[in-house]
Amino acid sequence: MDEQLRRTQTYGVDPVELFFDLVFVFAVSQLTYHLRDHLSGRGIAQTAVILLAVFTVWYYTSWEATLVRIERTRTVAMMVTVLFVGLFMNAAVTSAFTGSGWNFAVPFLLIQLGRGLWTLLNAPNAIWRDHYRRTILWLLTSSPLWVVGAAVDPVHRLYWWAAAAAHDLVGTWLGHPVPGRRLHSQSVGLAESGHMLERCRLFLIIALGETILSTGVAIAAVPMTVMTLATGLAALIVTAALWMIAYGGPGHLVVRHLEKTRDPIHATRMAGNVLTVMVAGLIAAAAAFEMAITHPHGHPSAALSLLLFGGPILFLLAQGWYLWAVPRINPRRWLVGSAALALAGTAAGALAPPYAALLVAAAASAAAATVITRFAPTPAEPARGDGHRH
């Protein structure tokens, strides 16, 4: 592959891309409210299914705008169209499993199939056109599951949509192969992979901002007392700790890997997959913050503890896995931090009222962030470009 294509160049994130992101941060808020109001195993599963669907729309659209270049008029038009349709899709998030499923499924399928066809017609070369033919085949295969799920009773909708979301997730992870044909990403030159990585980084910080917004809304909903100050501050400490972990660690080593690897697309695709899990962690934490701030003296709750500590654990494990799988950074500190949070959560869930559990989570998250970011990690081995990624 040409050296110029191997080296990842970036171009600036366009304002229309950030404008587009706001509609999907709205979806993060909707998912937080849904999880808070349906705190059960079924509610968690519903939240996960809709998150996968919504994030698939964000990631595919952002990736395809990167592929075709956002500064082109037709790409801006595509992105704005998805923005408008996506607003109605995201507005239906909280009622997707209680009311009409069509309000969510119809705009979702319109975006997925319409944007996929647009990308097929505008792909920059034959390799990408062939890839998007296969992508549309995968989308057409999962579409009946979304349709049936929208048509059945809300009680049974979860099963159909979970199967559809799992199908779409597998397709994304595997690069939408069909027998005898698949995308060998290390053989495709895409100089803008670094741009998509930056898109993921910016979306994460906007999602962190939504967590702060949820905390502020919870603080505004209750009288300003010493307890409100304590719980509100603790929630902000957890959020700040996650921000430190995301942006105060080995980010420069990821960029260095992206510049040297022969397969920058693989690094970028993995970033998108991991971002889904990190956003899930933020949704769980934000829902727990609202519950602890508005009902600080409630009974000890295993469910609340699961969200309060499980959210940061998901965040840490996802980032640690990416750093191990892509730039080969030893994830030991992320594993230790996750284990410490799990132990603290186990104790708090059994013994502590919500306000105390939140204070413990703040202390544990701050300690984990300090350990992870204090010393700059080094790669476990040189960045790989071994050519076997797809």
Side-chain angles (χ1 to χ4, degrees), residues 16-24 57 61 76-90 111:
V16 74
E17 295 178 282
L18 298 178
F19 184 49
F20 172 79
D21 289 353
L22 296 178
V23 173
F24 290 87
V57 170
T61 306
V76 173
M78 179 275 290
M79 207 166 205
V80 172
T81 300
V82 174
L83 183 154
F84 284 129
V85 180
L87 176 62
F88 292 93
M89 177 188 73
N90 294 337
I111 292 172

Side-chain angles (χ1 to χ4, degrees), residues 291-292 294-301 304 351-357:
M291 295 165 63
T294 55
H295 301 93
H297 295 289
H299 294 294
S301 168
L304 176 63
L351 303 173
Y355 80 87

Side-chain angles (χ1 to χ4, degrees), residues 92-305:
V93 163
T94 55
S95 61
F97 288 100
T98 56
S100 172
W102 298 111
N103 294 338
F104 180 85
V106 169
F108 172 75
L109 292 174
L110 283 175
I111 292 172
Q112 289 292 82
L113 296 173
R115 190 208 54 247
L117 179 61
W118 178 92
T119 310
L120 174 62
L121 296 175
N122 290 277
N125 56 48
I127 294 176
W128 285 112
R129 284 192 293 274
D130 185 62
H131 172 68
Y132 277 98
R133 289 189 192 98
R134 298 193 304 273
T135 300
I136 290 174
L137 286 175
W138 274 76
L139 293 175
L140 288 172
T141 304
S142 66
S143 293
L145 298 173
W146 290 106
V147 170
V148 172
V152 300
D153 188 276
V155 174
H156 302 103
R157 185 169 298 152
L158 175 61
Y159 309 117
W160 291 96
W161 282 5
H167 179 282
D168 291 341
L169 180 64
V170 170
T172 302
W173 271 82
L174 299 180
H176 300 103
V178 298
R181 295 164 63 193
R182 63 184 306 171
L183 177 69
H184 296 269
S185 58
Q186 76 279 4
S187 65
V188 181
L190 184 64
E192 293 82 15
S193 292
H195 175 79
M196 190 59 208
L197 188 64
E198 184 64 15
R199 293 285 287 115
C200 291
R201 285 170 53 84
L202 290 176
F203 187 87
L204 181 60
I205 202 165
I206 294 174
L208 283 162
E210 193 284 326
T211 304
I212 293 176
L213 177 61
S214 296
T215 301
V217 169
I219 292 172
V222 295
M224 186 57 65
T225 64
V226 173
M227 181 60 73
T228 302
L229 290 171
T231 53
L233 179 61
L236 287 174
I237 288 173
V238 176
T239 305
L242 298 180
W243 169 78
M244 286 178 59
I245 291 167
Y247 295 96
H252 64 287
L253 294 175
V254 175
V255 174
R256 187 185 307 169
H257 169 85
L258 204 62
E259 292 173 346
K260 293 180 178 180
T261 181
R262 290 181 293 172
D263 192 0
I265 293 176
H266 171 257
T268 303
R269 285 179 54 228
M270 291 300 102
N273 294 330
V274 164
L275 180 58
T276 311
V277 181
M278 296 176 80
V279 171
L282 292 176
I283 290 170
F289 295 161
E290 288 195 48
M291 295 165 63
I293 292 170
T294 55
H295 301 93
H297 295 289
H299 294 294
S301 168
L304 176 63
S305 185

